[in-house]
Every structure is written in structure tokens, then in C-alpha cells.
Amino acid sequence: PDGRARRLVGVHVDISARMQQADQARLAAVTDSLTGLHNRSALLKRLGMAIARRADNPARHFALLFIDLDRFKQVNDTLGHGVGDEVLRTVAARLRAELRPADDLAQPDAEVTAARLGGDEFVVALDGLRSPGDAAAVAERLLGALAQPCRLRGRKVAISASIGVVTSEWGHNDPGALMRDADIAMYEAKRSGRARWVRFEPWMQDAVLQRS
């Protein structure tokens, strides 16, 4: 109004960088840092969703595969934790490669979740199975893939896995109980000789209680 020139000074804030940082933080909260798979928190959320979908639609089935590497401690003890970490990353890559929803799942909104719980424990959640029995085909395929030796740092490292399978037919309504029973079945697979899969049966819970 007084005719004098004025200079406006503005501050440019790069909100895109902040948004990127926020996205990275959200991803880190649900991701296992070593393998890039989902972590326990993300897995439990997916299991809760699978249980809810099953409650709404009894024709929809899901399964949980609890995977534990056999004698993995020997790998760490003899070859070092660096090689052990490479084995775990190799296992994660094989799980990604072998989990093909279109092969085994029929529902259009089917979901497959692979997670690492920690150590050498992995879990695969299959939501949208045609029938509970379809989990067996996936377990067999994963056993075959994981039994292939790893070639790391000029060495051939032999590995195998034991898998416990629990399916929606047992009427689980709690992710924690589902994980517990899959874990019980996995230990039964180890007791039975390792390098195999075992489907959870209620008697296994009683056996665990009797041994404790």
C-alpha cells in the first residue's frame, strides 16, 4: 500500500522425505530385519484376519505351518553365525519362491504369509484353501525345497526342516492357540525323526502335558 517493494521469505518443507521415513518405519515394524519376511506381530494380525474370515464363511479354510530347521545350532557352532545368517536368508528366499497362491488356493482373495519368528523358526500362513487337506501339498513342497543343500562361501551346507501343520478344521478362534498347536505338531515331527511334516491332532496336547 505504501508503494515500497517487499520481499517474501518462505520456507520449503520437503514433506515427501518425511512421508518416506514414515513408510520405512511402518515397514520396519512388521518386517524381520534379517530376512525381509513378516515378523511375529504381522503374522498374528494376519492369523486374526484368517480366523475372522473363517467365522464369516465356514467354507473358507486356512492352515498354519510351523517350520523349524533341523540341527541349525550345529551350523552356528561349526561354521559361525555369519554362515548361519546366510542360511536363514536362503531359507527365506526359498519360502518366497515356493509359495505360489494360484497353485493351491482357490479363493480370489486368498493370502499367503511367510514370517520369521526368530532364530531358525519360520511360519507360513495359508488363508483361502480349498480344503484343509491342501496344506499337505504345500508342506511337502516346502520340505523338498528346504532339503536342498546351501552353497555358501564355497561350502555345501546340508539343511532340512521339521514342519508342524494345524488347520482350520479344529475350530481355533485365537492366533496364540493356533501357533501353540502348530508348534506342538512341529516338535512331534522332530520326535518322529525330523525332515518331515506332522499334522496336529488333539492327543498331542495331552502327550505334552503328560511329559511336563
Side-chain angles (χ1 to χ4, degrees):
D2 57 8
R4 289 182 297 176
R6 298 181 182 274
R7 183 175 62 181
L8 299 178
V9 178
V11 178
H12 175 69
V13 179
D14 187 356
I15 62 172
S16 62
R18 293 185 181 180
M19 292 177 62
Q20 184 177 16
Q21 290 174 352
D23 289 343
Q24 291 173 346
R26 283 192 291 268
L27 182 62
V30 297
T31 303
D32 172 59
S33 60
L34 179 65
T35 64
L37 298 179
H38 292 285
N39 61 15
R40 181 186 294 268
S41 174
L43 173 69
L44 291 175
K45 183 177 180 179
R46 293 290 183 91
L47 292 180
M49 294 168 62
I51 291 170
R53 291 186 184 118
R54 165 78 171 168
D56 291 338
N57 178 13
R60 184 186 181 94
H61 299 282
F62 64 82
L64 185 70
L65 283 60
F66 198 115
I67 304 165
D68 189 90
L69 301 185
D70 298 325
R71 301 184 178 90
F72 180 70
K73 185 176 184 297
Q74 293 180 9
V75 174
N76 278 333
D77 289 347
T78 59
L79 301 178
H81 289 274
V83 172
D85 286 349
E86 290 186 41
V87 169
L88 296 177
R89 284 191 285 265
T90 299
V91 168
R94 291 180 182 181
L95 291 180
R96 291 191 192 94
E98 293 297 326
L99 292 172
R100 303 187 295 269
D103 289 352
D104 308 287
L105 309 175
Q107 303 290 345
D109 59 343
E111 289 188 357
V112 176
T113 303
R116 176 174 174 252
L117 303 183
D120 61 326
E121 293 182 337
F122 296 82
V123 171
V124 170
L126 307 170
D127 179 20
L129 292 169
R130 291 188 299 266
S131 73
D134 286 341
V138 180
E140 287 284 356
R141 194 164 73 208
L142 294 183
L143 281 179
L146 297 178
Q148 300 300 314
C150 300
R151 296 191 178 277
L152 303 169
R153 302 185 185 184
R155 296 174 177 269
K156 185 168 73 172
V157 182
I159 62 172
S160 65
S162 297
I163 303 178
V165 178
V166 64
T167 61
S168 51
E169 63 188 313
W170 296 114
H172 289 84
N173 58 11
D174 175 68
L178 191 65
M179 293 271 287
R180 176 202 63 208
D181 290 346
D183 190 24
I184 289 173
M186 182 274 293
Y187 275 105
E188 188 62 31
K190 285 189 179 291
R191 280 169 48 84
S192 302
R194 300 185 176 91
R196 66 192 65 202
W197 69 271
V198 168
R199 193 194 315 271
F200 172 78
E201 298 286 347
W203 64 262
M204 295 177 185
Q205 274 190 5
D206 297 333
V208 169
L209 292 174
Q210 291 174 6
R211 291 196 296 266
S212 60

